[in-house]
Each structure stands twice: as structure tokens, then as C-alpha cells.
Amino acid sequence: MNDAELSKKVIELVGGGGNIIVAFNCYTRLRINVRNFDLVKVPELQKLEGVIGVVTSGIQVQVIVGPGRAAKLTSVVNQRLEAEIFNRQQEESAEAAAAHAIAEQSDKKYLKNKENFRGKLNGNFNSVMKKVAGIFVPIIPAFIACGLLLAILEIIKIYVEGFTDTSFGIILNVVSSSVFSILSVIVGFNACKEFGGDGILGACLGGILSSPLLGDAETPLVIGPFTIYAGLGGVIAVLMVAISAAYFEKLIRKFMPDMLDSFLTPLITLIVMSVAGLFLLMPLGGYISQGIAIAVEAIVKNVPILLGLVPMFYLFLVLFGVHHGLIPISQALIDDYMKQHGTTVGWAPIVPVQLMAGAAEVGAAIYVLMKTRDKKLKKTIKHALPIGILGIDEPLIWGMTFTHKRLFISAGLGGAIAGAVVASLNIMANVPETTGIQAALLCGVDINKKWQYALCFILAIALGFIFAALIGFKDTIETTDPATGKVKTEVYETSIAKKLYDQYRAKHPKKVKSEVKTTHD
């Protein structure tokens, strides 16, 4: 289907234009908030050509169509909705009036559903992770861009002595460190806004916590028993202050008279949260950041294989769309590295480990592409493989592994082993989030580590392929009998391990029967 055809079918299957409140998109998904979820036909949506998968979350329907197409499809859907709204406005018939009354009833039901849904998720881990992801996802492009420039700068410094003292070197250094120099301000803005507060107040608080006037770790500001310096607690402290400010601001507005609200509410919020941030939340954030760093460092040094478990649960986080919730942890590790080593560039060990999950997913996909006779599955993998190598995992997860559960295990096992190797080699990344094979430029404090990451990425692909071949998958093919016109479903087993076991049973029937009998006894 082209975008026009697919948009028409999607609108129909979510209950029509009148059932849609808003349609928007993220990188890979068309997201539609509906008034009445009972009108949504999820199974039919999943069967549409071009749809990789469908996820529902409360009153939201997420139609996964892959990067690039998500934005285009959303644009066409909104054009159709605008046209429908215009046509409805022109109708003055009794039918239009009745439809309007039904829509009002649906709105009431939607508001009730929304209230109930939000109430259920208030204390839910999944909801918190999604909000944290909402804070950091907009920053990811800047992370990657600046991280690549930092990598280029580091490589040039190796081969060109004195480059950083040149005019061009100074400019490249300023540009490459730009997002990190104002990260507290950006995170403060996004966090406060995400939790319902004034983003500008959050940005101000982020700026206060990172202000050079507070001094640094060597020359801190000492006030009584409190020792404060710029960046204490890193991004963890900024998150706590900005989120607390959002709730405090909303609390103040409930009691503030309207005529005083515009200037008194932000004033009180800024003063109270500055004091709370500097004397309470910054030190607390420092302890938390340091605790995370000590724990991860101990794992990397003593039992790196444990860090290799990260890719196994990372795939589940991607499945639920909350994998970006790991960003603040990695950023805390980067902040702590800079603090301990007195550098302007920090390093995090979790990032390159988690990327092994996507690489193993690619390996499993290559095996499926070679073995499957399902034309639709083959087409899906062909389109998803290139962006899978570049680190966009969702098309492969929803188009392949989600419907073939054993492949999920294959990717997890391959990623876990490769992740353990990455951790053992102490390969780290200079940004809290990146993707794919191109992350080699962002990994490792020297050139050798970058090559090691690339080799580990290839290893993960190979392991994903091997485990997919061993564990296999059920290849389901639908064929139409030309004589009767009936659709016939055939299932083929692709597991090498199962084939070897079947061969063993054929060669040793007596032994197998004896084993079965003993087991039954």
C-alpha cells in the first residue's frame, strides 16, 4: 500500500475520523489517541500491508511502520482528518447533528477512560520510564552529533600535534562539547515540562545547579555544613530538582489568586526549589550518582559477565518503548568519570554493551532471511535489515522476533555473550545514547577500543545467527489450492538442534524409548 491507501485503512480501523482526537508520530510509529477504544480493530490493523506491528497503551494506538514512513504517514492521516473536519462543518443535516451528539458522548467516555488510565499508571514503573524517555529522546540527535565530532577531534589530536590550540581546533572543541556544556539546562527544561511544569523554570534551575559561580570540586562553595559546587549530582540532581519544581509549581497554582499567579508563582517556585536543590537534592544526587558509578565499576572489574545480561532485558525495554529510560544512568556514569578524572569528556560502559542486543537481532534476521519462504516476512526483513545495522531495532523486533518468540531468545543470548566480551574489554562510549555499527567512532578512549567495538558488533551478529539457526523458528506459509480456492497453512521447523535430535531418535529408537519409559516411571 502507498501512504494514501494505508492512511485510509488505518483511519477506518481505528473507528473513523470522528473517533480520532489527535494523530502524531515518533521515529518509527504513528501514534493515534482515540475517543472510544472499543471501536479500534487491532487484529485488522496488524494485518495491513506495511504495518510492522501495533501497540496499544490506554487510549493510544501505536501503528509501527518504520523510520521515515512514520512521519509521512502521519502527515497524510492529518490531511485526511482536516478534510473530514471541513466536510463535517459544511453539513447542516439532522444526521450531522446526531453524529455530533454521539461524538460528545464519546468525548465523555474518553475523558473518563483517560482519567482511569492515568490513575492506574501513576505508580507504574512503565509510566515513569516513558516520562524519563520523553525527557531525553529529543536530545539524542544532539548527543550523537556532538559525540561524533568529539570522536573526530580525538582522532585528529592523535595524528596532528597541537591541533587543539589552533583556531579551528578551538572551534571544533566548542561545537563538539556544546550539548554537554548546556545539558543541565536542556534536561531541566524537558523534565519540568514533561511533568506538567513551566519548562523555562526548569531550565533556570538546571542553569543554577551548573553555574560556574558555585565553584568546582577543588574549590567548592562552603556554607556551614554544606559543600556545594557546580555539577554536583550531575543529571540525576537536575532531574530531581526539575521534576520536584513541576509538582511544587502546580501545588502553588492551586492556592494562588489569578491576579498574582503570573509573577508570584514562578518567583516562589524558583526561590524554594533553588534552596532545596542546592542544599538537599544536589548532595543526594551526588550520592546516587556515585553509588551507580561504584556499582557498575565493581561489576566491570570483577564480574563483567553480569553486565552482559543488559542486552537480554534491553530488548524487552525496546519492545515497550521505554529503553531510553537508561539514558540518565549512563549520563550519571559519564558525569562521574569527568569528576574523577578531571576531563571534559566522560565515558559510560553500559551503552556499547546494550547495543549488542540490536547486533544479535540483525544476525537472527539474516538467518531468517535465508531460511523463510514467507514472502511478507522476507520483504519485512529486507527493508528492516539496513536500519537494523544502523541501530534502529523496532522494525526487526515487531516485524520478526515478536511474532517468532524463539528468535527473541536467540537475539538475547547472542547479545548477552557479545555484551560480556564488550564489558571484559572495558569498551565505553562518550555519549549516553547512540546506535548501531557507527557507534564504533563513539566508543573507546583510543583507536584500538574503536576497532574492538566493531569486532564485537560483528561477533554479536554472528552469535545471533548461530543461536537462531540452533533454536530455529516455525516458518508459517499460506498457500491457495488452485482447484478448490481454499487457503492452506503449512508450518516448517527450521531448528538445527531439533533436526539433530530427530536424527538421533531415528538412529537410536530403543535408547529413546528406554529414556521415555524411565521418565514416565
Side-chain angles (χ1 to χ4, degrees), residues 438-455:
Q438 67 274 16
L441 286 173
L442 307 175
C443 290
V445 294
D446 55 47
I447 294 293
N448 291 331
K449 294 294 184 184
K450 300 181 191 305
W451 283 110
Q452 288 174 2
Y453 170 84
L455 292 173

Side-chain angles (χ1 to χ4, degrees), residues 54-134:
V54 177
V55 181
T56 60
S57 178
I59 48 91
Q60 188 176 101
V61 182
Q62 302 173 14
V63 183
I64 305 168
V65 293
R69 194 173 190 189
K72 294 176 184 176
L73 183 62
T74 303
S75 177
V76 177
V77 167
N78 282 323
Q79 288 174 12
R80 283 188 177 275
L81 293 177
E82 288 174 7
E84 286 188 22
I85 291 170
F86 177 80
N87 292 333
R88 283 201 297 269
Q89 288 174 344
Q90 305 304 309
E91 296 175 359
E92 298 294 337
S93 62
E95 184 180 349
H100 181 67
I102 293 171
E104 285 185 342
Q105 291 178 358
S106 295
D107 279 340
K108 291 178 182 178
K109 185 175 181 179
Y110 152 70
L111 291 172
K112 185 178 179 181
N113 287 343
K114 184 177 179 181
E115 185 178 350
N116 292 338
F117 176 65
R118 284 187 171 178
K120 290 176 182 177
L121 287 184
N122 274 341
N124 191 288
F125 171 77
N126 196 46
S127 176
V128 173
M129 289 288 279
K130 284 185 177 180
K131 281 189 174 293
V132 172

Side-chain angles (χ1 to χ4, degrees), residues 22-35:
V22 64
F24 56 103
N25 68 280
C26 61
Y27 195 63
T28 58
R29 309 181 188 200
L30 161 64
R31 297 173 181 254
I32 299 174
N33 289 357
V34 296
R35 291 187 170 88

Side-chain angles (χ1 to χ4, degrees), residues 221-242:
L221 184 65
V222 180
I223 305 175
F226 300 98
T227 301
I228 304 165
Y229 57 87
L232 175 63
V235 71
I236 301 293
V238 175
L239 281 172
M240 292 193 296
V241 173

Side-chain angles (χ1 to χ4, degrees), residues 320-434:
F320 292 106
V322 296
H323 50 296
H324 299 301
L326 294 177
I327 295 177
I329 296 175
S330 290
Q331 185 58 50
L333 294 171
I334 289 173
D335 292 338
D336 189 77
Y337 184 97
M338 290 189 292
K339 175 185 170 184
Q340 286 189 22
H341 296 82
T343 60
T344 56
V345 179
W347 301 90
I350 294 178
V351 178
V353 172
Q354 71 191 34
L355 295 181
M356 295 301 106
E361 188 91 21
V362 169
I366 293 172
Y367 174 74
V368 175
L369 186 63
M370 292 171 59
K371 296 295 292 184
T372 186
R373 284 176 279 183
D374 185 337
K375 292 182 180 179
K376 184 179 178 182
L377 179 58
K378 193 181 285 284
K379 183 179 178 182
T380 298
I381 293 174
K382 282 182 179 179
H383 284 94
L385 259 180
I387 57 175
I389 294 171
L390 296 177
I392 308 300
D393 305 323
E394 285 184 324
L396 282 177
I397 287 178
W398 288 103
M400 182 188 73
T401 33
F402 183 70
T403 52
H404 299 82
K405 303 299 187 293
R406 280 187 273 168
L407 294 174
F408 210 94
I409 298 171
S410 302
L413 290 172
I417 295 174
V421 174
V422 169
S424 300
L425 293 172
N426 201 27
I427 300 171
M428 299 185 286
N430 64 6
V431 292
E433 176 86 341
T434 184

